[in-house]
Structure formats: C-alpha cells, structure tokens
Amino acid sequence: MQHHITSQLNAIHTPAYVVDETRLKHNLQILSDIKKQSGIKILFAIKGCPLLPLFQMIGDTLDGFTASGVYEARLAKEGHPSSETEIHTFCPAYAAKEIDELLVLQNNMHIYFNSVEQLNRFAPIIKAKSKTAKIGLRVNPALSLAKFAKYDPCRVGSHFGVSVSELSKVDWSLVDSIHVHALCENMAEESARLITRVAQLLKDYLPKVKSINFGGGHFITHPDDKVDVLVGALKDIKKAFPQLTTILEPGAAVVYDAGYLVASVLGLQNNEGTQNAVLDASANAHIPDVMKAGIRLSVLGESEATPNHTYTFVSRTCMARDVWGDYAFEKPLSVGDKIVFLDGLQYSLGEANWFNGHPRPDLAILLGTGEYKVWRHFTYADFKHNYS
C-alpha cells in the first residue's frame, strides 16, 4: 500500500500522530473477513490506541471493545454508545466501587477477574445487581510465546491469570467466560498453538462456560500472517465445543501500519564522526517502546541499500539514552526536513508523557480523500493541567 502522507507533509505541524484512514479501513476489512469466515467475535483492545475519534469507525466493524479498567470502559461507551456494542473489562484487581461503576455504565458489561479470590468476592454482588452482566475468569495457559520477554504474561511468577492447578477450586456456576492471553505480535501459527493448547488443557472446564476469549497479540493484519491457519484453528475449537462463543481482542493489529509519528529535524551535530539529527519528537516521551523494548521503527524514505548519509536520530530531551536509532538516506538531511516514523500509532498514545515539558504530538488524521485534519493540538495549558 502506498504512503499518501508525503503529499501532506508541508501541512503537518510537528510532532504529530497521524492516522491513515485508508490503511485503518484496510485492517478493519481483514478483521471483518475473519469474523465472517470463522463465526467469532472480535473486540478492539483500547490500550493499543485509545484515540476516541476512531471508536465509531472501529465499533461499526467490530463487536465491541476491551478495556483495562473503568476509564477505558467509559471511553468505549462514549466512543460507540450503541446498546449492541459489547464492553469487556479485565483488570488484575478491582476496587469495590469500580464494580459498581462498571455495572452502571452498561447493562451487558463483561467483567473478567484475575483470581479466584476476586471472583468469589465480587461475582455474587454482580449477580445480585445485574441479570445481564457477564462474568469471566482469566486463566494462565502457561504458554510463553510473546516475542518480548518483558511482555510475556505467561512467564514464571506472572501475576496474570489463575493457574490451571487452581481451577478445581472455582465455583463454575459463577463463570460465563474463560479468558486466556499469551501473545504479543505473534503470527497465526502461534495463535493456533494457543488455541490448540487451550482446547486440550481446559477440556474439562470449557463445557462449563459460554465463551472463550483468546485475548490479544494476534498479529492478524500483518502481511505475513497466514489468516487461513488462524481461521482453521478457530473452526476446530468451535467444532470441538460448539456451545462456545469465541472471542479475539487484538489491539495493535487493528491500527498496525495505519498511522505515523511525524517529526522535524531541528538541528544537526557532528560528534567525532557521529552525525546526530536532533528531532522534535522524543522516543522516551512519544513512543516509549523504542526504549523499553528496543523496538526500531522504520522511517519513510530511509535507504538500506545505499547508506550514503547515516544519522543517529536523537531527541531534544535531557535524557542521554533518548535515542531513536541509526537511519541512512541517499541524500543528506537538512534542518526542517520532516521525518515520518511508520507504524507510529500502536501502543504509543497510551504511554506518551510530558517528559521535560516538550509538547505532546498533535492528534490528526489523513483522510481517504487526501485531506489532512487535526483533531487536537496540545498547548502549555494542557501541560500545566497535568501538574496543577
């Protein structure tokens, strides 16, 4: 798919997170096709990109949203207020008042618990207050498939989910759904491994519930993903447990390669042979995964074949390690050049911060018509509001 953003670079005030509407619709079409082929439900995990203006478009295609707490659940309700939109909320531990807030928010709220203790404490309260709310229990499938160890929810000692050895203690009359999660940007082969393992590992418990949620991390929209493998595994578990509604809740896959972080070169510096290009975007503040997980984002126009002009992209914060990485180009860079980081949406907005007081990037969209539209421009007042 072509990157149409190049025609709008002059109009972009940097830094800016820019949604590519055409690419987002492309991803949603893939997800819609998978729903039709497999008969499953797909939810959008809000943490992947909590950008409210996108929720109407996403909710019109998918079955609802997955929230990580009350605030995200409220955002889902406001972003797609249809009564048919499902909101599923998982949190490792809830405060009592949060259960009440979720039940007031939506009649058919799905609330997942992370422990037998929380299930036993809150499920009776939910059942007494609501006849339509659904209750889920997260189970740890003990299958480490995540690409990044620090993001592995199944690592030894993980606090995510009930271990299989504890399931015999569960009062299954309280549980409507089992939730498992083991993936992080994994392709269809790993998704299928998870589905197959759960079908075997939980074969005694799946007949006791109405739905199975295989969590997020399924990299469905990646061009290398073998969708037929995933669909085949989903059909197999449906055949084995026909009473189950099957659910996936991707976050990153929904917005994968559907947006950019656009920055500008503010300064150039040569330090004993290292060419530093100082940007007005910060890895630490604007896409923290670059530093936390060592992710390298591709840049539009970089040249791997003929690296004649190589630059280390650095940020203008006071943090010495606030570095994007090395990038090569066929022509030298100049102050004022726009730098377009590809796939700049997933897990960036929710983690962005005001480190050093540098401005938050604009929130904007590149419409399918080619028009560039800014939703939000952050000012000093926004910065001050966070600390006063």
Side-chain angles (χ1 to χ4, degrees):
M1 295 174 67
Q2 185 178 358
H3 293 273
H4 298 290
I5 194 170
T6 52
S7 63
Q8 292 293 330
L9 287 180
N10 290 335
I12 298 176
H13 174 275
T14 62
Y17 297 116
V18 183
V19 177
D20 190 320
E21 183 184 44
T22 299
R23 288 172 171 264
L24 178 59
K25 288 182 175 180
H26 170 75
N27 288 346
L28 291 174
Q29 185 59 56
I30 293 173
L31 297 171
S32 177
D33 291 344
I34 289 174
K35 283 177 54 181
K36 292 176 183 177
Q37 293 175 44
S38 60
I40 68 169
K41 290 184 176 182
I42 298 182
L43 311 172
F44 172 51
I46 294 173
K47 61 180 178 285
C49 183
L51 191 52
L52 187 61
L54 299 181
F55 284 18
Q56 187 66 49
M57 184 192 308
I58 292 172
D60 286 349
T61 299
L62 305 184
D63 297 286
F65 301 84
T66 293
S68 299
V70 174
Y71 281 7
E72 285 190 353
R74 289 179 59 180
L75 202 66
K77 184 65 175 179
E78 293 176 17
H80 201 274
S82 169
S83 60
E84 296 182 0
T85 300
E86 295 186 10
I87 300 177
H88 296 229
T89 304
F90 166 79
C91 189
Y94 299 92
K97 67 175 183 176
E98 293 175 325
I99 299 298
D100 291 333
E101 290 173 3
L102 289 172
L103 291 176
V104 170
L105 188 63
Q106 189 175 50
N107 289 331
N108 62 338
M109 178 66 68
H110 297 244
I111 303 175
Y112 296 90
F113 293 104
N114 188 56
S115 68
V116 177
E117 181 273 326
Q118 287 239 316
L119 174 72
N120 291 339
R121 185 170 14 139
F122 291 124
I125 295 173
I126 294 173
K127 288 188 175 293
K129 293 184 175 182
S130 172
K131 294 182 180 180
T132 55
K134 305 298 182 183
I135 297 171
L137 181 66
R138 180 162 174 170
V139 176
N140 191 322
L143 181 64
S144 291
L145 296 172
K147 294 168 58 178
F148 304 105
K150 62 175 61 179
Y151 295 151
D152 178 11
C154 297
R155 67 185 182 274
V156 175
S158 170
H159 63 286
F160 288 115
V162 178
S163 64
V164 175
S165 62
E166 296 289 304
L167 295 182
S168 61
K169 303 176 183 178
V170 173
D171 180 355
W172 289 98
S173 68
L174 300 175
V175 182
D176 298 296
S177 178
I178 288 177
H179 179 285
V180 296
H181 179 50
L183 308 178
C184 178
E185 295 189 3
N186 289 102
M187 297 298 184
E189 292 87 350
E190 285 79 21
S191 296
R193 280 185 62 188
L194 173 63
I195 294 168
T196 301
R197 177 175 176 82
V198 167
Q200 177 61 33
L201 189 68
L202 304 182
K203 63 181 183 298
D204 294 334
Y205 302 104
L206 291 176
K208 301 176 183 291
V209 296
K210 299 173 183 177
S211 62
I212 174 70
N213 185 331
F214 286 104
H218 309 268
F219 222 7
I220 308 169
T221 55
H222 192 283
D224 295 333
D225 194 67
K226 298 176 182 177
V227 172
D228 58 325
V229 173
L230 173 61
V231 170
L234 292 169
K235 288 182 177 179
D236 286 344
I237 195 166
K238 183 66 176 178
K239 184 177 179 180
F241 303 95
Q243 91 286 1
L244 289 179
T245 297
T246 304
I247 302 164
L248 301 182
E249 47 181 31
V254 177
V255 295
Y256 168 68
D257 204 22
Y260 319 92
L261 174 63
V262 184
S264 292
V265 177
L266 296 183
L268 296 168
Q269 173 203 40
N270 190 313
N271 187 345
E272 297 185 357
T274 297
Q275 280 276 82
N276 293 318
V278 185
L279 308 184
D280 60 0
S282 160
N284 175 65
H286 301 152
I287 305 187
D289 271 349
V290 170
M291 296 177 59
K292 290 197 304 180
I295 292 172
R296 182 190 186 278
L297 296 182
S298 297
V299 165
L300 189 63
E302 66 175 308
S303 174
E304 297 179 0
T306 55
N308 297 324
H309 303 279
T310 300
Y311 299 85
T312 299
F313 285 173
V314 301
S315 307
R316 58 173 179 161
T317 68
C318 68
M319 184 178 290
R321 68 179 189 278
D322 196 349
V323 177
W324 292 92
D326 293 339
Y327 294 88
F329 301 88
E330 293 184 3
K331 297 179 180 180
L333 295 178
S334 300
V335 171
D337 284 348
K338 296 286 176 64
I339 303 298
V340 180
F341 290 101
L342 305 179
D343 194 20
L345 284 186
Q346 57 164 308
Y347 289 95
S348 54
L349 278 71
E351 297 187 27
N353 58 71
W354 286 98
F355 181 70
N356 269 190
H358 291 297
R360 291 282 296 269
D362 286 357
L363 305 179
I365 185 170
L366 179 64
L367 297 170
T369 60
E371 178 188 357
Y372 179 71
K373 179 181 178 181
V374 177
W375 284 319
R376 176 79 182 273
H377 175 71
F378 295 91
T379 66
Y380 169 73
D382 298 300
F383 169 67
K384 180 181 176 181
H385 178 73
N386 278 268
Y387 303 109
S388 60

